[in-house]
Amino acid sequence: MGKSIFLGFPHMIYGGDYNPDQWLHRPDILEEDIRLMKEAHVNEVSIGIFAWKALEPEEGVYNFEWLDQVFRRMEEAGINVILATPSGARPAWMDHAHPEAMRTDSMRFKALHGERHNHCYSSPYYRKKVREMNTMLAKRYKDSPALKMWHVSNEYGGECHCEYCQAAFRKWLEKKYGSIEELNRQWWTGFWSHGFNSFEEIESPSPRGEWELHGLNLDWARFVTYQTNDFMAEEIKPLKEITPDVPVTTNFMGIYPGLDYWRMKDTVDVISWDSYPTWHNDGETLAQTAMSNAFIHDVNRSLKHQPFLLMESTPSKVNWHKVNKLKRPGVNELVSMQAVAHGSDSVQYFQWRKGQGANEKFHGAVVDHYGKADTRVFQEVAHLGQSLEKLDEVVGSDTAVDVAVIFDWNNRLAIGNLQGLSNRRDYEGVVRDHYRALWEQGLNIDVIDEEEDFSSYKLVVAPMLYMVKPGVAERLRAFAKKGGTVVFTYLTGLVNENDLCFLGGFPGDGLMELAGVWAEEIDALYESDRNSMIGLEKEYELKDICEIIHLKGAKALANYGEDFYQGQPVLTLNEYGKGRCYYIAARPDYQFLADFYKKVVKELGLAKPEFDVPEGISVTVRESKEAKFYFIMNFAEKDVNLDLGSICGVDLISGQEYSGKTCLLKTGYLVLKVEK
Ligand code: GLA
Ligand code: ZN
């Protein structure tokens, strides 16, 4: 608590990706950059991210002088450096000499040189080259006072199906299962006569081959995470040997499905992620987009339960959305502060200066091709820089949380694999709906995977907990016994960690006892089909999936209004030990969740703001030993009146005291410090 992520730098980090290696022919521009950075109140640059060619122009020929000079400039200007290792993209000479280091896709096609993020994580040559490069970087810059953090590679992702990777996969499987018989049992390979006689017969999943053994699909996905993490760990090793005190991060991609970040979080010291929501899209309000973004911030904070970094964002627009909309005036400051509100100790951009050519030349950046400071974007960036300078007290502060929502990577894959309902399973959307109902009340929320410890929470919400890994059911039961409240929905407790169905009735693995219901059948609804939930103050619509459940100790709070299961329970409550468990057997409209969670939050007395949160306003609280910091943010796209009730605090940005009734202007926000 209260510890800054950057050693010896107790301020909000403000800056982002800087690619001087693309501008070495323009020393005048490199000089100008420093002047402009000071004007923008930038205090950090992330450099070297794709600089392999500049650092090693030919095999074994190195050139660090330009980087020495960048370091010198940054040291002189007092700007911190996050130094990247360049493994995210390779120069052409390397791919020509070592094509085996390039990726093979699931169709077994070998990549050609180009793009980025397309190396084989198993290639012994590439691992060796990366180790050598990282060692050289660490040795050369270890004593620079500007070096504050390592940024290993860039957005690790994708998978490789080459022979090195197949061999490593087989080894991984052998270690996991011990014998081929055990693997056959766990993958249910009797199906379609797909059994194996030896590990040598196993191939990674492919659209041209095997993709219907769900156990194989899951294990392959787990292996991809394992191998990527192993590669990352090897990258980090020389950095830790040479610069043990310099923290290491890598930029995650939000809730990217290809890697299970929960299995990678312990390999890095600090979590950081790249956030590019489609602000101002045509299907959502700004508040809805903000809610989805908040969800991902909370995933990233929850990974280590400590402050994280917003490693990339755009100051204006990206170049890869369907429609690349400009952030409206004030929105960059608002949504950047949203990251801080959810636990980020930085605001960082991709990128500092727009490149002159290639595919990202029209991606938003702080400095435009125009090259000067008198642009709207630059001025807004500089304004935010000044605001962040007022938040020293917030740096390193914690987020106290009573409620966790489970969003599990493996469960998500398994729900994706499952055939037999409809294509409207929408795990992510369902989890987010539950999250939204809590977010709109202004609660701090953790978003965790099912392998996390539940014991510190009062409420655990587990939507569609289809896959129940070993020990999870037991821990949930223990949590409820001691007084915790659990919320389950339809599709809970169907398969184990290898995607084998539990026998003896759903929810399986002992969750039936906790839920107090037996789920006998699952009905899938067409898009226009509706059922209803009756018996509460209001009637609610049900869609997509309706489970037919029977009471096994729970009591019914509401029933189905239609179809042959009319009158059967759809919402139940089971008292369990000192706690309780709700079961929502169908997908309700959002209004149900909003009303339901208001009641639950009140019943449990969960920590939430002491005032009513109007629509479109978000409230999160960070806290230090001395004070609470209320981030009150207006995503409503209009001015909003607010009654702060008993809260009285000083806004760290304006220095003004606030209490009682106030008006939050469109895109406005407050960071109210309330002494403890
Ligand atoms: C990613 C990458 C950056 C850049 C941005 C563009 O996040 O890490 O290098 O390409 O996307 O939005
Ligand atoms: Zn490979």
Side-chain angles (χ1 to χ4, degrees):
M1 199 205 272
K3 212 175 108 210
S4 75
I5 287 176
F6 271 13
L7 296 175
F9 187 74
H11 311 288
M12 284 288 160
I13 297 157
Y14 192 45
D17 284 24
Y18 178 45
N19 296 306
D21 43 308
Q22 294 175 19
W23 294 95
L24 296 177
H25 57 294
R26 290 295 303 266
D28 56 321
I29 285 189
L30 296 179
E31 282 302 329
E32 177 70 353
D33 279 335
I34 302 293
R35 197 187 65 74
L36 288 170
M37 281 174 193
K38 300 306 278 182
E39 203 172 325
H41 294 258
V42 154
N43 59 33
E44 175 274 341
V45 286
S46 312
I47 50 178
I49 294 174
F50 296 112
W52 203 310
K53 178 71 167 70
L55 294 169
E56 189 179 359
E58 291 170 48
E59 176 110 60
V61 178
Y62 296 96
N63 176 8
F64 290 97
E65 271 112 58
W66 65 271
L67 190 52
D68 296 349
Q69 211 181 18
V70 174
F71 261 95
R72 240 186 338 264
R73 282 203 188 98
M74 295 305 161
E75 284 164 14
E76 276 164 27
I79 296 174
N80 299 294
V81 169
I82 298 184
L83 182 57
T85 63
S87 67
R90 301 170 316 285
W93 61 255
M94 191 185 287
D95 284 345
H96 282 278
H98 288 277
E100 82 280 3
M102 292 188 283
R103 230 167 247 187
T104 301
D105 70 15
S106 63
M107 298 291 281
R108 311 307 192 248
F109 285 124
K110 189 98 212 159
L112 300 176
H113 168 71
E115 253 291 332
R116 56 179 178 174
H117 314 308
N118 59 357
H119 49 273
C120 167
Y121 290 123
S122 309
S123 155
Y125 166 78
Y126 198 51
R127 285 183 174 223
K128 175 174 138 279
K129 285 301 284 184
V130 168
R131 190 167 52 244
E132 285 169 5
M133 173 57 76
N134 294 5
T135 304
M136 279 186 267
L137 286 170
K139 282 193 174 151
R140 196 158 184 112
Y141 300 107
K142 67 180 195 324
D143 296 323
S144 168
L147 176 65
K148 291 294 191 328
M149 186 175 280
W150 289 105
H151 175 304
V152 284
S153 199
N154 189 77
E155 295 191 337
Y156 289 108
E159 53 192 56
C160 175
H161 297 253
C162 78
E163 279 313 315
Y164 287 125
C165 290
Q166 302 290 352
F169 179 43
R170 289 175 196 131
K171 221 168 103 194
W172 183 89
L173 289 171
E174 210 167 338
K175 191 157 172 237
K176 174 168 179 182
Y177 292 108
S179 73
I180 197 70
E181 293 75 26
E182 180 60 11
L183 175 143
N184 281 317
R185 266 193 296 278
Q186 293 301 324
W187 286 5
W188 204 253
T189 58
F191 173 74
W192 290 350
S193 208
H194 284 198
F196 301 100
N197 287 334
S198 74
F199 286 95
E200 289 313 303
E201 290 176 3
I202 297 175
E203 286 271 343
S204 59
S206 167
R208 284 170 60 204
E210 185 68 274
W211 56 273
E212 289 182 300
L213 287 178
H214 293 169
L216 165 66
N217 295 354
L218 273 166
D219 275 340
W220 171 251
R222 288 174 178 139
F223 167 76
V224 169
T225 291
Y226 169 85
Q227 196 70 346
T228 307
N229 187 57
D230 188 62
F231 181 92
M232 178 166 83
E234 256 196 70
E235 279 223 41
I236 293 172
K237 225 181 267 161
L239 309 178
K240 281 290 171 200
E241 275 163 25
I242 300 160
T243 57
D245 294 333
V246 180
V248 176
T249 191
T250 189
N251 48 344
F252 287 156
M253 294 181 276
I255 50 171
Y256 168 67
L259 290 171
D260 182 352
Y261 293 144
W262 290 92
R263 312 277 84 75
M264 300 173 73
K265 69 185 169 76
D266 294 331
T267 312
V268 291
D269 300 307
V270 173
I271 301 296
S272 65
W273 82 280
D274 301 344
S275 170
Y276 294 105
T278 48
W279 299 113
H280 316 295
N281 68 61
D282 60 352
E284 295 178 318
T285 60
L286 188 72
Q288 279 165 344
T289 316
M291 181 276 298
S292 305
N293 199 38
F295 175 76
I296 311 179
H297 282 316
D298 284 346
V299 169
N300 281 275
R301 191 199 59 250
S302 304
L303 280 168
K304 273 187 181 286
H305 302 282
Q306 70 184 35
F308 61 94
L309 300 181
L310 173 64
M311 185 55 80
E312 289 181 27
S313 60
T314 175
S316 57
K317 60 178 184 173
V318 300
N319 68 333
W320 50 267
H321 287 160
K322 207 163 63 181
V323 174
N324 296 291
K325 197 105 181 153
L326 292 173
K327 279 178 172 170
R328 294 359 235 174
V331 168
N332 184 54
E333 177 143 351
L334 179 67
V335 304
S336 300
M337 278 297 175
Q338 184 195 25
V340 178
H342 283 266
S344 176
D345 276 359
S346 81
V347 172
Q348 291 161 275
Y349 300 114
F350 178 87
Q351 62 177 332
W352 166 252
R353 181 186 281 275
K354 279 185 189 174
Q356 255 191 297
N359 132 321
E360 284 179 339
K361 61 179 173 291
F362 294 123
H363 191 291
V366 177
V367 181
D368 207 337
H369 296 125
Y370 167 66
K372 296 186 199 149
D374 57 340
T375 63
R376 179 184 73 92
V377 169
F378 190 99
Q379 290 305 315
E380 289 200 27
V381 165
H383 186 270
L384 172 55
Q386 283 165 286
S387 302
L388 289 168
E389 282 166 0
K390 297 173 182 156
L391 297 186
D392 286 359
E393 289 176 81
V394 178
V395 174
S397 63
D398 266 338
T399 306
V401 188
D402 280 348
V403 40
V405 174
I406 296 182
F407 178 63
D408 188 274
W409 251 259
N410 286 192
N411 187 43
R412 180 195 199 181
L413 292 179
I415 290 174
N417 272 335
L418 109 84
Q419 289 179 44
L421 294 170
S422 73
N423 58 5
R424 286 189 314 289
R425 282 157 276 171
D426 192 16
Y427 177 56
E428 199 182 312
V430 170
V431 175
R432 238 191 344 238
D433 281 350
H434 286 255
Y435 173 90
R436 175 181 164 195
L438 296 157
W439 182 82
E440 285 185 347
Q441 295 184 63
L443 271 85
N444 285 345
I445 307 159
D446 276 354
V447 184
I448 58 174
D449 90 339
E450 63 180 69
E451 288 168 65
E452 279 289 279
D453 181 7
F454 309 128
S455 58
S456 66
Y457 302 108
K458 293 181 179 152
L459 171 65
V460 171
V461 178
M464 297 169 85
L465 192 69
Y466 170 74
M467 170 180 284
V468 181
K469 293 181 233 172
V472 174
E474 219 174 284
R475 286 191 296 106
L476 280 170
R477 285 203 310 265
F479 167 75
K481 255 190 197 136
K482 285 202 184 131
T485 295
V486 177
V487 177
F488 283 142
T489 71
Y490 57 91
L491 227 64
T492 288
L494 276 83
V495 301
N496 72 7
E497 81 278 15
N498 290 323
D499 222 342
L500 292 177
C501 292
F502 293 115
L503 303 180
F506 303 135
D509 207 24
L511 289 183
M512 197 185 291
E513 181 193 318
L514 171 56
V517 301
W518 164 44
E520 186 188 358
E521 289 185 277
I522 310 175
D523 197 13
L525 276 59
Y526 278 95
E527 204 172 342
S528 58
D529 286 348
R530 289 290 181 275
N531 202 318
S532 61
M533 183 192 281
I534 56 171
L536 299 171
E537 273 165 39
K538 283 186 227 162
E539 191 175 313
Y540 300 96
E541 270 195 349
L542 303 172
K543 59 182 182 183
D544 295 351
I545 294 174
C546 293
E547 233 176 41
I548 303 175
I549 60 171
H550 305 277
L551 301 177
K552 292 277 172 194
K555 65 174 186 230
L557 302 178
N559 297 324
Y560 282 109
E562 271 148 74
D563 221 317
F564 76 92
Y565 37 95
Q566 181 185 35
Q568 286 185 237
V570 63
L571 174 67
T572 63
L573 172 63
N574 193 36
E575 304 289 345
Y576 190 80
K578 291 189 186 137
R580 46 188 21 200
C581 177
Y582 288 97
Y583 197 92
I584 307 168
R587 185 171 188 183
D589 60 19
Y590 176 69
Q591 194 50 50
F592 167 78
L593 294 177
D595 293 346
F596 171 75
Y597 281 108
K598 258 188 209 137
K599 214 179 113 255
V600 172
V601 165
K602 207 163 151 197
E603 255 168 33
L604 300 178
L606 302 184
K608 67 188 272 298
E610 296 81 345
F611 52 91
D612 282 334
V613 180
E615 202 181 323
I617 302 292
S618 112
V619 184
T620 50
V621 182
R622 291 181 68 167
E623 56 191 278
S624 66
K625 274 202 199 96
E626 300 80 32
K628 285 185 169 191
F629 306 101
Y630 287 74
F631 286 78
I632 308 174
M633 326 202 65
N634 184 357
F635 294 104
E637 299 173 88
K638 59 178 188 212
D639 301 352
V640 172
N641 292 319
L642 195 69
D643 189 344
L644 295 170
S646 61
I647 296 280
C648 176
V650 174
D651 174 28
L652 291 179
I653 307 294
S654 63
Q656 213 178 305
E657 197 174 281
Y658 279 85
S659 64
K661 291 197 169 120
T662 183
C663 177
L664 205 52
L665 297 179
K666 182 177 169 182
T667 73
Y669 68 94
L670 299 170
V671 185
L672 286 190
K673 176 183 172 184
V674 178
E675 308 274 353
K676 276 189 171 169

